[in-house]
Amino acid sequence: MAKFEPVLLGETTEIKLMNRIDRKYWFTLAQLPGLLEKAFPFYHILEIEGQRLMEYHTTYFDTEKDEMYLTHHNQKLNRYKIRRRNYVNSNTGFFEVKLKNNKCRTIKERIATDFENSEISRTENNFLETSSPFGNKTLQPALKNRFYRITLIHKQKTDRCTIDLKPKFWNTKDEIQFDDLVIFELKRKSSLKSSPMVLWLREMKIRQRGLSKYCTGRAMLEPSLKQNAFKPRLRFLQKLKENNPTENENTANSWNCSDTNR
């Protein structure tokens, strides 16, 4: 990480990519240094107050019937995630709505908020009414998580890569942490194919695997939830937890969003 030239938070405004195409990969920590070696001549690293590894805390919300979880599990697009996130290093908090639409684009809207709020405020509820179908529904905290993030930004500002380490998930009953897991997400305004990251990941035999942190954490902690569509990922994560991942589960389900300009 020390090899990278830094970019400051105020210099990243034009590549926040609140409306984007993205692709997610999961792999082991041992593979990360090789990828960073390939990337450092072409990418800057986000630096805040001299720190390059950022801490994030998140609370996810859902309805009493787990509508957002089940919509994702049932492979439907036009699906939402609602969360309150604390960006620890920059000391900021946002209430965020993420939509994955039927054109496989991720659209994120957010408002500044106090992360310590345990209930959804009137301001946040008004925001939900204008940015989601959940403004008139009762939402409750469904999952909390914490992770540490490296953010790489291409020197031509064509794409943004987030690299999340040591994700921990917990609810009121249990918790689970993955010390050897890397969650890598590539984000661009349009087609992902022209990103050098796609080529490098392919060369390293790291294949695309899509699964949200929210659904993963809930499925791992709540076996009673419907999770048939997630089982290949969950088996991989369980074996990773046991320090024995298998390559034949390093595949993408057919329902993942394809790289498209639609």
Side-chain angles (χ1 to χ4, degrees):
M1 289 171 59
K3 292 183 178 182
F4 287 83
E5 298 176 15
V7 62
L8 303 181
L9 185 61
E11 302 174 276
T12 65
T13 303
E14 63 187 276
I15 195 163
K16 284 186 176 181
L17 298 179
M18 305 288 275
N19 185 331
R20 64 180 186 255
I21 293 175
D22 48 42
R23 182 180 291 182
K24 194 169 289 185
Y25 302 80
W26 296 20
F27 49 89
T28 61
L29 189 61
Q31 295 170 286
L32 180 58
L35 184 61
L36 293 178
E37 287 284 351
K38 293 176 181 291
F40 89 85
F42 305 96
Y43 285 80
H44 291 132
I45 191 169
L46 179 63
E47 184 174 293
I48 300 176
E49 300 291 332
Q51 300 295 314
R52 299 184 171 195
L53 188 64
M54 313 301 175
E55 185 174 357
Y56 287 56
H57 295 183
T58 312
T59 299
Y60 290 93
F61 295 86
D62 210 332
T63 66
E64 294 179 352
K65 296 182 179 180
D66 301 314
E67 292 175 56
M68 283 174 265
Y69 174 90
L70 292 173
T71 296
H72 194 140
H73 176 276
N74 295 338
Q75 307 171 11
K76 296 180 180 179
L77 294 175
N78 288 326
R79 59 180 182 248
Y80 287 84
K81 300 293 186 305
I82 294 173
R83 67 193 186 195
R84 185 181 287 125
R85 174 163 283 179
N86 182 19
Y87 298 77
V88 176
N89 295 71
S90 60
N91 194 31
T92 54
F94 291 95
F95 188 73
E96 303 180 339
V97 174
K98 283 182 68 177
L99 166 66
K100 176 75 80 171
N101 69 19
N102 58 10
K103 295 183 179 179
C104 287
R105 295 194 68 88
T106 298
I107 300 170
K108 185 167 76 171
E109 298 182 69
R110 66 186 187 181
I111 57 173
T113 190
D114 181 357
F115 182 77
E116 299 303 323
N117 288 342
S118 58
E119 304 293 332
I120 293 177
S121 69
R122 179 177 297 179
T123 299
E124 291 168 339
N125 196 66
N126 291 340
F127 170 66
L128 286 179
E129 289 181 351
T130 61
S131 58
S132 81
F134 294 96
N136 61 349
K137 296 190 177 184
T138 301
L139 300 181
Q140 56 195 12
L143 180 75
K144 294 180 183 290
N145 84 350
R146 183 206 66 202
F147 56 89
Y148 299 90
R149 171 168 289 182
I150 302 165
T151 300
L152 303 182
I153 297 175
H154 196 278
K155 291 182 178 181
Q156 302 300 318
K157 297 187 177 179
T158 54
D159 58 57
R160 182 185 191 110
C161 307
T162 57
I163 304 167
D164 297 342
L165 310 175
K166 296 190 71 172
K168 177 181 178 180
F169 306 93
W170 70 94
N171 56 23
T172 57
K173 297 180 180 179
D174 207 352
E175 65 180 47
I176 188 169
Q177 180 167 313
F178 295 93
D179 291 333
D180 196 31
L181 178 65
V182 177
I183 305 172
F184 179 97
E185 191 166 2
L186 172 63
K187 309 170 186 181
R188 287 174 68 97
K189 289 182 180 179
S190 56
S191 174
L192 299 170
K193 292 179 180 178
S194 56
S195 171
M197 279 293 181
V198 173
L199 175 61
W200 298 333
L201 289 159
R202 187 181 300 125
E203 288 175 348
M204 296 177 68
K205 296 182 170 55
I206 297 171
R207 301 178 184 175
Q208 179 189 4
R209 282 198 300 267
L211 188 64
S212 77
K213 294 186 186 73
Y214 172 61
C215 292
T216 300
R218 291 206 65 188
M220 295 292 290
L221 293 173
E222 302 177 61
S224 61
L225 283 174
K226 186 177 181 181
Q227 51 187 260
N228 290 341
F230 300 151
K231 282 186 176 178
R233 309 308 195 283
L234 299 179
R235 285 196 297 268
F236 173 83
L237 291 173
Q238 186 60 46
K239 291 182 179 181
L240 184 65
K241 188 71 177 168
E242 297 167 359
N243 245 352
N244 185 29
T246 58
E247 174 63 23
N248 62 3
E249 286 167 337
N250 191 15
T251 57
N253 281 346
S254 60
W255 54 268
N256 282 334
C257 285
S258 60
D259 180 23
T260 176
N261 283 312
R262 290 180 299 167

